[in-house]
Amino acid sequence: MTGRRVIVTGVPGVGKTTVVNGALKMLEDEGVTYKSLNFGTYMFEVAKKEGVVSDRDEMRKLDREVQKRLQKEAARAMARESGNVLIDTHASVKTPRGYLPGLPEWVLRELMPDTIVLVETDEDQILMRRLSDETRTRDMEGSKGIAEHQQFNRSIGASYAMITGCTIRMVTNADHLLEQAIGDMASVLR
Ligand code: AP5
Protein backbone atom coordinates (compact mmCIF):
# COMPACT_ATOMS: atom_id res chain seq x y z
CA MET A 1 0.00 0.00 0.00
CA THR A 2 1.24 3.49 -0.82
CA GLY A 3 -0.07 6.75 0.61
CA ARG A 4 -1.40 7.63 4.04
CA ARG A 5 -4.40 6.21 5.79
CA VAL A 6 -6.15 8.50 8.26
CA ILE A 7 -9.28 7.55 10.23
CA VAL A 8 -11.43 10.42 11.50
CA THR A 9 -13.83 9.78 14.37
CA GLY A 10 -16.15 11.76 16.62
CA VAL A 11 -19.51 11.37 18.33
CA PRO A 12 -22.56 12.07 16.12
CA GLY A 13 -23.08 15.79 15.61
CA VAL A 14 -19.57 16.88 16.66
CA GLY A 15 -19.12 18.10 13.10
CA LYS A 16 -16.46 15.69 11.83
CA THR A 17 -17.85 15.68 8.28
CA THR A 18 -17.93 19.50 8.21
CA VAL A 19 -14.31 19.70 9.42
CA VAL A 20 -13.10 16.98 7.03
CA ASN A 21 -14.76 18.62 4.02
CA GLY A 22 -13.19 21.98 4.90
CA ALA A 23 -9.73 20.45 5.35
CA LEU A 24 -9.92 18.48 2.10
CA LYS A 25 -10.89 21.63 0.21
CA MET A 26 -7.97 23.53 1.77
CA LEU A 27 -5.51 20.76 0.83
CA GLU A 28 -6.86 20.41 -2.69
CA ASP A 29 -5.85 24.03 -3.31
CA GLU A 30 -2.31 22.99 -2.25
CA GLY A 31 -2.29 19.92 -4.51
CA VAL A 32 -2.66 17.36 -1.70
CA THR A 33 -5.49 14.94 -2.39
CA TYR A 34 -7.22 12.27 -0.35
CA LYS A 35 -9.89 9.78 -1.27
CA SER A 36 -12.60 10.42 1.30
CA LEU A 37 -14.58 7.33 2.35
CA ASN A 38 -17.51 7.21 4.74
CA PHE A 39 -17.61 3.95 6.73
CA GLY A 40 -21.34 4.36 7.46
CA THR A 41 -22.10 4.71 3.73
CA TYR A 42 -20.22 1.50 2.90
CA MET A 43 -22.13 -0.34 5.65
CA PHE A 44 -25.41 1.18 4.58
CA GLU A 45 -24.99 0.11 0.95
CA VAL A 46 -24.60 -3.54 2.02
CA ALA A 47 -27.42 -3.29 4.60
CA LYS A 48 -29.77 -1.76 2.02
CA LYS A 49 -29.00 -4.47 -0.53
CA GLU A 50 -29.81 -7.09 2.09
CA GLY A 51 -33.01 -5.23 3.01
CA VAL A 52 -32.17 -5.05 6.74
CA VAL A 53 -32.55 -1.23 6.98
CA SER A 54 -33.96 1.65 4.95
CA ASP A 55 -32.35 4.53 6.92
CA ARG A 56 -28.67 4.83 7.97
CA ASP A 57 -29.71 5.89 11.46
CA GLU A 58 -31.34 2.48 11.97
CA MET A 59 -28.03 0.65 11.62
CA ARG A 60 -26.84 1.22 15.20
CA LYS A 61 -30.01 -0.53 16.41
CA LEU A 62 -29.44 -3.71 14.41
CA ASP A 63 -28.44 -6.94 16.11
CA ARG A 64 -24.80 -6.75 17.21
CA GLU A 65 -23.77 -9.69 15.03
CA VAL A 66 -25.34 -8.06 11.96
CA GLN A 67 -23.53 -4.77 12.70
CA LYS A 68 -20.25 -6.67 13.06
CA ARG A 69 -20.73 -8.44 9.75
CA LEU A 70 -21.53 -5.15 7.99
CA GLN A 71 -18.43 -3.60 9.62
CA LYS A 72 -16.23 -6.40 8.33
CA GLU A 73 -17.55 -6.13 4.78
CA ALA A 74 -17.15 -2.35 4.79
CA ALA A 75 -13.56 -2.58 6.08
CA ARG A 76 -12.63 -5.16 3.46
CA ALA A 77 -13.99 -2.99 0.66
CA MET A 78 -12.23 0.15 1.94
CA ALA A 79 -8.92 -1.68 2.40
CA ARG A 80 -8.77 -2.16 -1.38
CA GLU A 81 -8.37 1.60 -1.92
CA SER A 82 -4.85 2.89 -2.57
CA GLY A 83 -3.24 6.33 -2.33
CA ASN A 84 -4.03 8.78 0.46
CA VAL A 85 -7.25 7.60 2.07
CA LEU A 86 -9.38 9.30 4.73
CA ILE A 87 -12.07 7.24 6.47
CA ASP A 88 -14.90 9.06 8.27
CA THR A 89 -16.26 6.79 11.01
CA HIS A 90 -16.82 6.22 14.74
CA ALA A 91 -14.42 5.13 17.48
CA SER A 92 -17.47 3.56 19.11
CA VAL A 93 -21.17 3.38 18.31
CA LYS A 94 -23.75 3.84 21.03
CA THR A 95 -26.19 0.93 20.65
CA PRO A 96 -29.15 0.00 22.86
CA ARG A 97 -26.91 -2.70 24.40
CA GLY A 98 -23.88 -0.52 25.08
CA TYR A 99 -20.86 0.79 23.18
CA LEU A 100 -19.89 -1.20 20.09
CA PRO A 101 -16.24 -0.71 19.06
CA GLY A 102 -16.20 1.08 15.70
CA LEU A 103 -12.72 -0.27 14.94
CA PRO A 104 -12.46 -3.76 16.45
CA GLU A 105 -9.32 -5.77 15.78
CA TRP A 106 -10.55 -7.37 12.55
CA VAL A 107 -11.38 -3.92 11.15
CA LEU A 108 -8.06 -2.40 12.22
CA ARG A 109 -6.07 -5.25 10.70
CA GLU A 110 -7.75 -4.56 7.35
CA LEU A 111 -7.33 -0.78 7.51
CA MET A 112 -4.01 -0.38 9.39
CA PRO A 113 -4.26 3.43 9.84
CA ASP A 114 -1.25 5.74 10.21
CA THR A 115 -3.29 8.14 12.36
CA ILE A 116 -6.64 8.19 14.12
CA VAL A 117 -8.16 11.63 14.70
CA LEU A 118 -10.70 12.23 17.47
CA VAL A 119 -12.85 15.29 16.71
CA GLU A 120 -14.21 16.63 19.98
CA THR A 121 -15.86 19.64 21.55
CA ASP A 122 -17.84 20.65 24.59
CA GLU A 123 -20.81 18.29 25.16
CA ASP A 124 -23.31 21.18 25.42
CA GLN A 125 -22.31 22.40 21.96
CA ILE A 126 -22.79 18.90 20.51
CA LEU A 127 -26.22 18.69 22.12
CA MET A 128 -27.25 21.99 20.51
CA ARG A 129 -25.94 20.88 17.09
CA ARG A 130 -27.91 17.64 17.29
CA LEU A 131 -31.06 19.49 18.24
CA SER A 132 -30.75 21.91 15.33
CA ASP A 133 -29.82 19.30 12.67
CA GLU A 134 -33.14 18.25 11.15
CA THR A 135 -31.59 16.14 8.39
CA ARG A 136 -30.80 13.23 10.73
CA THR A 137 -32.56 11.05 13.29
CA ARG A 138 -30.31 11.67 16.29
CA ASP A 139 -30.65 9.70 19.51
CA MET A 140 -31.86 11.95 22.29
CA GLU A 141 -29.45 12.02 25.20
CA GLY A 142 -28.27 14.61 27.68
CA SER A 143 -24.90 16.32 27.77
CA LYS A 144 -23.72 13.90 30.48
CA GLY A 145 -24.23 10.96 28.12
CA ILE A 146 -22.36 12.78 25.34
CA ALA A 147 -19.47 13.52 27.74
CA GLU A 148 -19.31 9.85 28.72
CA HIS A 149 -19.25 8.82 25.05
CA GLN A 150 -16.38 11.20 24.27
CA GLN A 151 -14.45 9.91 27.28
CA PHE A 152 -15.03 6.32 26.20
CA ASN A 153 -13.75 7.19 22.71
CA ARG A 154 -10.45 8.46 24.14
CA SER A 155 -10.01 5.23 26.08
CA ILE A 156 -10.80 2.95 23.18
CA GLY A 157 -8.63 5.12 20.91
CA ALA A 158 -5.65 4.23 23.11
CA SER A 159 -6.31 0.54 22.58
CA TYR A 160 -6.49 1.07 18.80
CA ALA A 161 -3.04 2.70 18.97
CA MET A 162 -1.73 -0.30 20.92
CA ILE A 163 -2.94 -2.71 18.22
CA THR A 164 -1.70 -0.78 15.17
CA GLY A 165 1.05 1.54 16.40
CA CYS A 166 -0.83 4.47 14.85
CA THR A 167 -0.73 7.98 16.27
CA ILE A 168 -3.78 9.54 17.94
CA ARG A 169 -4.62 13.22 17.46
CA MET A 170 -7.40 15.25 19.06
CA VAL A 171 -8.94 18.09 17.02
CA THR A 172 -11.32 20.47 18.80
CA ASN A 173 -14.26 21.73 16.73
CA ALA A 174 -15.63 24.48 18.99
CA ASP A 175 -18.49 26.85 18.19
CA HIS A 176 -17.29 29.88 16.18
CA LEU A 177 -13.88 28.22 15.70
CA LEU A 178 -14.57 25.99 12.72
CA GLU A 179 -11.71 27.53 10.72
CA GLN A 180 -9.26 26.60 13.46
CA ALA A 181 -10.54 23.00 13.47
CA ILE A 182 -10.20 22.86 9.68
CA GLY A 183 -6.63 24.17 9.90
CA ASP A 184 -5.75 21.59 12.58
CA MET A 185 -7.26 18.77 10.53
CA ALA A 186 -5.38 19.93 7.42
CA SER A 187 -2.10 19.87 9.34
CA VAL A 188 -2.71 16.23 10.29
CA LEU A 189 -3.42 15.31 6.67
CA ARG A 190 -0.66 17.40 5.04
P1 AP5 B 1 -22.32 8.61 10.09
O1 AP5 B 1 -23.05 9.05 8.87
O2 AP5 B 1 -20.82 8.83 10.13
O3 AP5 B 1 -23.06 9.26 11.35
P2 AP5 B 1 -22.83 10.60 12.15
O4 AP5 B 1 -21.76 10.60 13.13
O5 AP5 B 1 -24.16 10.91 12.68
O6 AP5 B 1 -22.25 11.52 11.06
P3 AP5 B 1 -22.57 12.91 10.65
O7 AP5 B 1 -21.68 13.10 9.48
O8 AP5 B 1 -24.00 13.19 10.45
O9 AP5 B 1 -22.13 13.74 11.92
P4 AP5 B 1 -20.93 14.66 12.08
O10 AP5 B 1 -20.46 14.57 13.46
O11 AP5 B 1 -19.91 14.41 11.04
O12 AP5 B 1 -21.57 16.07 11.96
P5 AP5 B 1 -21.81 17.09 10.75
O13 AP5 B 1 -20.55 17.50 10.06
O14 AP5 B 1 -22.95 16.63 9.94
O15 AP5 B 1 -22.59 7.09 10.37
C1 AP5 B 1 -23.89 6.56 10.24
C2 AP5 B 1 -24.01 5.24 10.93
O16 AP5 B 1 -23.09 4.29 10.37
C3 AP5 B 1 -23.70 5.23 12.41
O17 AP5 B 1 -24.77 5.69 13.20
C4 AP5 B 1 -23.39 3.75 12.62
O18 AP5 B 1 -24.58 3.00 12.75
C5 AP5 B 1 -22.70 3.34 11.33
N1 AP5 B 1 -21.24 3.29 11.45
C6 AP5 B 1 -20.34 4.16 10.96
N2 AP5 B 1 -19.09 3.75 11.21
C7 AP5 B 1 -19.19 2.59 11.90
C8 AP5 B 1 -18.25 1.65 12.43
N3 AP5 B 1 -16.93 1.83 12.32
N4 AP5 B 1 -18.71 0.58 13.08
C9 AP5 B 1 -20.03 0.35 13.22
N5 AP5 B 1 -20.97 1.17 12.72
C10 AP5 B 1 -20.56 2.29 12.06
O19 AP5 B 1 -22.21 18.34 11.65
C11 AP5 B 1 -23.29 18.29 12.54
C12 AP5 B 1 -23.88 19.70 12.73
O20 AP5 B 1 -22.98 20.57 13.43
C13 AP5 B 1 -24.21 20.39 11.41
O21 AP5 B 1 -25.45 21.01 11.53
C14 AP5 B 1 -23.07 21.42 11.26
O22 AP5 B 1 -23.47 22.53 10.53
C15 AP5 B 1 -22.77 21.77 12.70
N6 AP5 B 1 -21.39 22.20 12.97
C16 AP5 B 1 -20.27 21.54 12.57
N7 AP5 B 1 -19.16 22.21 13.01
C17 AP5 B 1 -19.61 23.30 13.71
C18 AP5 B 1 -18.95 24.37 14.42
N8 AP5 B 1 -17.62 24.47 14.54
N9 AP5 B 1 -19.73 25.29 15.02
C19 AP5 B 1 -21.08 25.23 14.94
N10 AP5 B 1 -21.76 24.26 14.28
C20 AP5 B 1 -21.03 23.30 13.67
Tab-separated table of all heavy atoms in Angstrom, residues 10-18 38-40 43 56-57 59-60 71 88-90 93 100-103 129 133 136 138 173-176 178, ligand 1:
chain	number	residue	atom	x	y	z
A	10	GLY	N	-15.543	10.743	15.758
A	10	GLY	CA	-16.151	11.761	16.615
A	10	GLY	C	-17.587	11.369	16.876
A	10	GLY	O	-18.203	10.711	16.017
A	11	VAL	N	-18.122	11.753	18.018
A	11	VAL	CA	-19.506	11.373	18.327
A	11	VAL	C	-20.453	12.051	17.322
A	11	VAL	O	-20.110	13.104	16.767
A	11	VAL	CB	-19.903	11.739	19.784
A	11	VAL	CG1	-19.030	11.011	20.791
A	11	VAL	CG2	-19.885	13.231	20.019
A	12	PRO	N	-21.632	11.465	17.071
A	12	PRO	CA	-22.561	12.069	16.118
A	12	PRO	C	-22.848	13.524	16.455
A	12	PRO	O	-23.101	13.864	17.615
A	12	PRO	CB	-23.833	11.216	16.273
A	12	PRO	CG	-23.340	9.893	16.758
A	12	PRO	CD	-22.157	10.204	17.637
A	13	GLY	N	-22.766	14.373	15.433
A	13	GLY	CA	-23.083	15.786	15.614
A	13	GLY	C	-21.916	16.652	16.037
A	13	GLY	O	-22.057	17.865	16.143
A	14	VAL	N	-20.728	16.059	16.254
A	14	VAL	CA	-19.574	16.879	16.657
A	14	VAL	C	-19.101	17.738	15.487
A	14	VAL	O	-18.427	18.750	15.670
A	14	VAL	CB	-18.433	16.009	17.233
A	14	VAL	CG1	-17.749	15.187	16.142
A	14	VAL	CG2	-17.420	16.857	17.974
A	15	GLY	N	-19.471	17.306	14.272
A	15	GLY	CA	-19.122	18.100	13.095
A	15	GLY	C	-17.918	17.548	12.345
A	15	GLY	O	-17.267	18.268	11.596
A	16	LYS	N	-17.655	16.244	12.486
A	16	LYS	CA	-16.458	15.694	11.830
A	16	LYS	C	-16.533	15.836	10.316
A	16	LYS	O	-15.545	16.167	9.683
A	16	LYS	CB	-16.162	14.267	12.281
A	16	LYS	CG	-17.188	13.242	11.893
A	16	LYS	CD	-16.908	11.913	12.544
A	16	LYS	CE	-18.163	11.069	12.641
A	16	LYS	NZ	-18.852	10.772	11.391
A	17	THR	N	-17.725	15.595	9.745
A	17	THR	CA	-17.849	15.679	8.283
A	17	THR	C	-17.616	17.120	7.807
A	17	THR	O	-16.949	17.343	6.792
A	17	THR	CB	-19.240	15.167	7.846
A	17	THR	OG1	-19.420	13.863	8.417
A	17	THR	CG2	-19.362	15.063	6.347
A	18	THR	N	-18.126	18.082	8.565
A	18	THR	CA	-17.933	19.501	8.210
A	18	THR	C	-16.437	19.850	8.235
A	18	THR	O	-15.917	20.495	7.319
A	18	THR	CB	-18.696	20.396	9.223
A	18	THR	OG1	-20.061	19.978	9.283
A	18	THR	CG2	-18.624	21.862	8.842
A	38	ASN	N	-16.679	7.179	3.554
A	38	ASN	CA	-17.514	7.206	4.744
A	38	ASN	C	-17.884	5.767	5.112
A	38	ASN	O	-18.574	5.075	4.367
A	38	ASN	CB	-18.769	8.055	4.473
A	38	ASN	CG	-19.595	8.230	5.720
A	38	ASN	OD1	-20.142	7.264	6.253
A	38	ASN	ND2	-19.679	9.446	6.215
A	39	PHE	N	-17.399	5.338	6.281
A	39	PHE	CA	-17.607	3.953	6.728
A	39	PHE	C	-19.102	3.621	6.777
A	39	PHE	O	-19.548	2.564	6.345
A	39	PHE	CB	-17.002	3.798	8.129
A	39	PHE	CG	-16.622	2.393	8.502
A	39	PHE	CD1	-15.304	2.024	8.640
A	39	PHE	CD2	-17.598	1.438	8.754
A	39	PHE	CE1	-14.949	0.729	9.010
A	39	PHE	CE2	-17.260	0.145	9.115
A	39	PHE	CZ	-15.934	-0.211	9.245
A	40	GLY	N	-19.898	4.572	7.325
A	40	GLY	CA	-21.340	4.356	7.456
A	40	GLY	C	-21.999	4.133	6.095
A	40	GLY	O	-22.898	3.302	5.960
A	43	MET	N	-21.283	0.614	4.910
A	43	MET	CA	-22.129	-0.340	5.649
A	43	MET	C	-23.571	-0.260	5.168
A	43	MET	O	-24.247	-1.271	4.993
A	43	MET	CB	-22.087	-0.033	7.155
A	43	MET	CG	-20.829	-0.495	7.834
A	43	MET	SD	-20.799	-0.054	9.593
A	43	MET	CE	-22.173	-0.960	10.265
A	56	ARG	N	-29.982	5.089	7.360
A	56	ARG	CA	-28.666	4.832	7.965
A	56	ARG	C	-28.690	4.949	9.486
A	56	ARG	O	-27.889	4.323	10.182
A	56	ARG	CB	-27.577	5.704	7.356
A	56	ARG	CG	-27.758	7.175	7.575
A	56	ARG	CD	-26.857	7.982	6.674
A	56	ARG	NE	-25.454	7.931	6.993
A	56	ARG	CZ	-24.488	7.622	6.127
A	56	ARG	NH1	-24.789	7.318	4.892
A	56	ARG	NH2	-23.228	7.626	6.495
A	57	ASP	N	-29.626	5.743	10.009
A	57	ASP	CA	-29.705	5.891	11.460
A	57	ASP	C	-30.331	4.679	12.157
A	57	ASP	O	-30.394	4.632	13.380
A	57	ASP	CB	-30.453	7.182	11.818
A	57	ASP	CG	-29.580	8.414	11.562
A	57	ASP	OD1	-28.403	8.387	11.972
A	57	ASP	OD2	-30.058	9.371	10.926
A	59	MET	N	-29.067	1.677	11.574
A	59	MET	CA	-28.026	0.645	11.621
A	59	MET	C	-27.517	0.356	13.027
A	59	MET	O	-27.252	-0.782	13.376
A	59	MET	CB	-26.850	1.036	10.719
A	59	MET	CG	-27.176	0.861	9.257
A	59	MET	SD	-25.713	0.872	8.229
A	59	MET	CE	-25.075	2.504	8.474
A	60	ARG	N	-27.397	1.430	13.852
A	60	ARG	CA	-26.842	1.218	15.197
A	60	ARG	C	-27.805	0.458	16.109
A	60	ARG	O	-27.452	0.110	17.223
A	60	ARG	CB	-26.411	2.542	15.822
A	60	ARG	CG	-27.500	3.573	15.950
A	60	ARG	CD	-26.955	4.880	16.510
A	60	ARG	NE	-27.950	5.929	16.458
A	60	ARG	CZ	-28.120	6.772	15.445
A	60	ARG	NH1	-27.325	6.690	14.401
A	60	ARG	NH2	-29.061	7.689	15.469
A	71	GLN	N	-19.718	-4.275	9.359
A	71	GLN	CA	-18.434	-3.598	9.622
A	71	GLN	C	-17.316	-4.280	8.839
A	71	GLN	O	-16.503	-3.637	8.194
A	71	GLN	CB	-18.075	-3.765	11.098
A	71	GLN	CG	-18.364	-2.614	11.985
A	71	GLN	CD	-17.940	-2.927	13.417
A	71	GLN	OE1	-17.782	-4.072	13.828
A	71	GLN	NE2	-17.765	-1.882	14.188
A	88	ASP	N	-14.034	8.343	7.323
A	88	ASP	CA	-14.896	9.062	8.271
A	88	ASP	C	-15.745	8.008	8.992
A	88	ASP	O	-16.557	7.326	8.370
A	88	ASP	CB	-15.758	10.018	7.422
A	88	ASP	CG	-16.716	10.886	8.223
A	88	ASP	OD1	-17.096	10.509	9.339
A	88	ASP	OD2	-17.120	11.942	7.692
A	89	THR	N	-15.530	7.848	10.302
A	89	THR	CA	-16.257	6.786	11.007
A	89	THR	C	-16.405	7.087	12.497
A	89	THR	O	-16.327	8.251	12.911
A	89	THR	CB	-15.588	5.408	10.743
A	89	THR	OG1	-16.389	4.392	11.333
A	89	THR	CG2	-14.184	5.328	11.291
A	90	HIS	N	-16.607	6.052	13.292
A	90	HIS	CA	-16.824	6.219	14.736
A	90	HIS	C	-15.859	5.358	15.536
A	90	HIS	O	-15.673	4.192	15.212
A	90	HIS	CB	-18.251	5.822	15.101
A	90	HIS	CG	-19.250	6.755	14.521
A	90	HIS	ND1	-19.584	7.932	15.126
A	90	HIS	CD2	-19.944	6.713	13.354
A	90	HIS	CE1	-20.457	8.569	14.378
A	90	HIS	NE2	-20.685	7.854	13.289
A	93	VAL	N	-19.779	3.079	18.671
A	93	VAL	CA	-21.168	3.377	18.307
A	93	VAL	C	-22.038	3.071	19.521
A	93	VAL	O	-21.929	1.994	20.102
A	93	VAL	CB	-21.610	2.510	17.095
A	93	VAL	CG1	-23.062	2.774	16.733
A	93	VAL	CG2	-20.707	2.773	15.898
A	100	LEU	N	-20.454	-0.222	21.022
A	100	LEU	CA	-19.892	-1.203	20.093
A	100	LEU	C	-18.605	-0.596	19.535
A	100	LEU	O	-18.638	0.538	19.041
A	100	LEU	CB	-20.890	-1.444	18.942
A	100	LEU	CG	-20.465	-2.416	17.848
A	100	LEU	CD1	-20.765	-3.852	18.288
A	100	LEU	CD2	-21.206	-2.132	16.538
A	101	PRO	N	-17.464	-1.291	19.622
A	101	PRO	CA	-16.238	-0.708	19.059
A	101	PRO	C	-16.401	-0.452	17.562
A	101	PRO	O	-16.822	-1.337	16.827
A	101	PRO	CB	-15.162	-1.782	19.303
A	101	PRO	CG	-15.759	-2.761	20.220
A	101	PRO	CD	-17.259	-2.644	20.151
A	102	GLY	N	-16.091	0.762	17.124
A	102	GLY	CA	-16.199	1.082	15.697
A	102	GLY	C	-15.048	0.462	14.915
A	102	GLY	O	-15.163	0.189	13.730
A	103	LEU	N	-13.916	0.250	15.614
A	103	LEU	CA	-12.723	-0.275	14.945
A	103	LEU	C	-12.184	-1.482	15.721
A	103	LEU	O	-11.086	-1.429	16.275
A	103	LEU	CB	-11.654	0.826	14.857
A	103	LEU	CG	-12.101	2.111	14.158
A	103	LEU	CD1	-11.110	3.248	14.406
A	103	LEU	CD2	-12.262	1.889	12.664
A	129	ARG	N	-26.067	21.188	18.538
A	129	ARG	CA	-25.942	20.879	17.095
A	129	ARG	C	-26.895	19.748	16.725
A	129	ARG	O	-27.526	19.770	15.676
A	129	ARG	CB	-24.502	20.496	16.749
A	129	ARG	CG	-23.566	21.687	16.820
A	129	ARG	CD	-22.129	21.290	16.549
A	129	ARG	NE	-21.228	22.301	17.063
A	129	ARG	CZ	-19.915	22.178	17.126
A	129	ARG	NH1	-19.332	21.078	16.687
A	129	ARG	NH2	-19.167	23.150	17.622
A	133	ASP	N	-30.035	19.993	13.939
A	133	ASP	CA	-29.824	19.296	12.668
A	133	ASP	C	-31.059	18.446	12.350
A	133	ASP	O	-31.237	17.356	12.906
A	133	ASP	CB	-28.564	18.412	12.775
A	133	ASP	CG	-28.236	17.711	11.473
A	133	ASP	OD1	-28.979	17.888	10.483
A	133	ASP	OD2	-27.230	16.969	11.434
A	136	ARG	N	-31.120	14.550	10.190
A	136	ARG	CA	-30.798	13.226	10.727
A	136	ARG	C	-31.706	12.854	11.888
A	136	ARG	O	-32.275	13.733	12.549
A	136	ARG	CB	-29.337	13.202	11.223
A	136	ARG	CG	-28.314	13.488	10.159
A	136	ARG	CD	-28.235	12.373	9.137
A	136	ARG	NE	-27.846	11.123	9.744
A	136	ARG	CZ	-26.592	10.706	9.863
A	136	ARG	NH1	-25.622	11.444	9.397
A	136	ARG	NH2	-26.319	9.559	10.422
A	138	ARG	N	-31.319	11.792	15.227
A	138	ARG	CA	-30.315	11.672	16.290
A	138	ARG	C	-30.939	11.062	17.536
A	138	ARG	O	-32.094	11.355	17.868
A	138	ARG	CB	-29.785	13.057	16.651
A	138	ARG	CG	-29.223	13.852	15.495
A	138	ARG	CD	-27.898	13.333	15.058
A	138	ARG	NE	-27.258	14.218	14.087
A	138	ARG	CZ	-26.193	13.870	13.402
A	138	ARG	NH1	-25.648	12.692	13.544
A	138	ARG	NH2	-25.644	14.706	12.537
A	173	ASN	N	-13.398	20.995	17.662
A	173	ASN	CA	-14.265	21.730	16.729
A	173	ASN	C	-15.269	22.550	17.547
A	173	ASN	O	-16.453	22.200	17.655
A	173	ASN	CB	-14.989	20.751	15.796
A	173	ASN	CG	-15.916	21.459	14.820
A	173	ASN	OD1	-15.675	22.619	14.446
A	173	ASN	ND2	-16.980	20.788	14.415
A	174	ALA	N	-14.780	23.657	18.104
A	174	ALA	CA	-15.626	24.477	18.986
A	174	ALA	C	-16.501	25.441	18.198
A	174	ALA	O	-16.164	25.808	17.061
A	174	ALA	CB	-14.732	25.262	19.944
A	175	ASP	N	-17.608	25.841	18.797
A	175	ASP	CA	-18.489	26.848	18.190
A	175	ASP	C	-17.668	28.081	17.833
A	175	ASP	O	-16.804	28.506	18.623
A	175	ASP	CB	-19.578	27.271	19.199
A	175	ASP	CG	-20.737	26.278	19.220
A	175	ASP	OD1	-20.734	25.343	18.397
A	175	ASP	OD2	-21.621	26.441	20.076
A	176	HIS	N	-17.944	28.666	16.693
A	176	HIS	CA	-17.293	29.882	16.183
A	176	HIS	C	-15.812	29.691	15.853
A	176	HIS	O	-15.122	30.650	15.544
A	176	HIS	CB	-17.428	31.067	17.173
A	176	HIS	CG	-18.819	31.200	17.724
A	176	HIS	ND1	-19.905	31.466	16.930
A	176	HIS	CD2	-19.291	31.058	18.990
A	176	HIS	CE1	-21.000	31.495	17.676
A	176	HIS	NE2	-20.662	31.251	18.930
A	178	LEU	N	-14.645	27.032	13.748
A	178	LEU	CA	-14.573	25.988	12.721
A	178	LEU	C	-13.292	26.111	11.897
A	178	LEU	O	-12.652	25.110	11.584
A	178	LEU	CB	-15.829	26.062	11.824
A	178	LEU	CG	-15.893	25.090	10.657
A	178	LEU	CD1	-15.859	23.634	11.128
A	178	LEU	CD2	-17.147	25.324	9.814
B	1	AP5	P1	-22.318	8.611	10.087
B	1	AP5	O1	-23.047	9.055	8.869
B	1	AP5	O2	-20.822	8.830	10.134
B	1	AP5	O3	-23.063	9.265	11.353
B	1	AP5	P2	-22.834	10.600	12.145
B	1	AP5	O4	-21.756	10.599	13.130
B	1	AP5	O5	-24.158	10.907	12.680
B	1	AP5	O6	-22.246	11.518	11.057
B	1	AP5	P3	-22.568	12.914	10.654
B	1	AP5	O7	-21.675	13.097	9.478
B	1	AP5	O8	-24.001	13.192	10.449
B	1	AP5	O9	-22.133	13.738	11.918
B	1	AP5	P4	-20.932	14.657	12.079
B	1	AP5	O10	-20.455	14.569	13.461
B	1	AP5	O11	-19.913	14.412	11.043
B	1	AP5	O12	-21.573	16.066	11.964
B	1	AP5	P5	-21.807	17.089	10.752
B	1	AP5	O13	-20.553	17.496	10.058
B	1	AP5	O14	-22.954	16.633	9.941
B	1	AP5	O15	-22.585	7.089	10.365
B	1	AP5	C1	-23.888	6.560	10.236
B	1	AP5	C2	-24.012	5.240	10.929
B	1	AP5	O16	-23.088	4.292	10.372
B	1	AP5	C3	-23.702	5.232	12.412
B	1	AP5	O17	-24.770	5.689	13.199
B	1	AP5	C4	-23.392	3.747	12.623
B	1	AP5	O18	-24.582	2.996	12.753
B	1	AP5	C5	-22.704	3.339	11.334
B	1	AP5	N1	-21.239	3.286	11.452
B	1	AP5	C6	-20.345	4.164	10.960
B	1	AP5	N2	-19.093	3.754	11.208
B	1	AP5	C7	-19.192	2.592	11.904
B	1	AP5	C8	-18.248	1.654	12.434
B	1	AP5	N3	-16.930	1.830	12.325
B	1	AP5	N4	-18.709	0.578	13.081
B	1	AP5	C9	-20.035	0.347	13.217
B	1	AP5	N5	-20.967	1.172	12.720
B	1	AP5	C10	-20.559	2.293	12.064
B	1	AP5	O19	-22.205	18.339	11.651
B	1	AP5	C11	-23.286	18.288	12.544
B	1	AP5	C12	-23.884	19.698	12.734
B	1	AP5	O20	-22.978	20.567	13.425
B	1	AP5	C13	-24.205	20.386	11.414
B	1	AP5	O21	-25.447	21.009	11.535
B	1	AP5	C14	-23.075	21.420	11.262
B	1	AP5	O22	-23.467	22.533	10.534
B	1	AP5	C15	-22.772	21.775	12.703
B	1	AP5	N6	-21.394	22.200	12.966
B	1	AP5	C16	-20.267	21.541	12.567
B	1	AP5	N7	-19.163	22.206	13.010
B	1	AP5	C17	-19.606	23.304	13.708
B	1	AP5	C18	-18.953	24.366	14.424
B	1	AP5	N8	-17.621	24.473	14.542
B	1	AP5	N9	-19.727	25.286	15.017
B	1	AP5	C19	-21.078	25.235	14.940
B	1	AP5	N10	-21.758	24.259	14.277
B	1	AP5	C20	-21.026	23.303	13.673
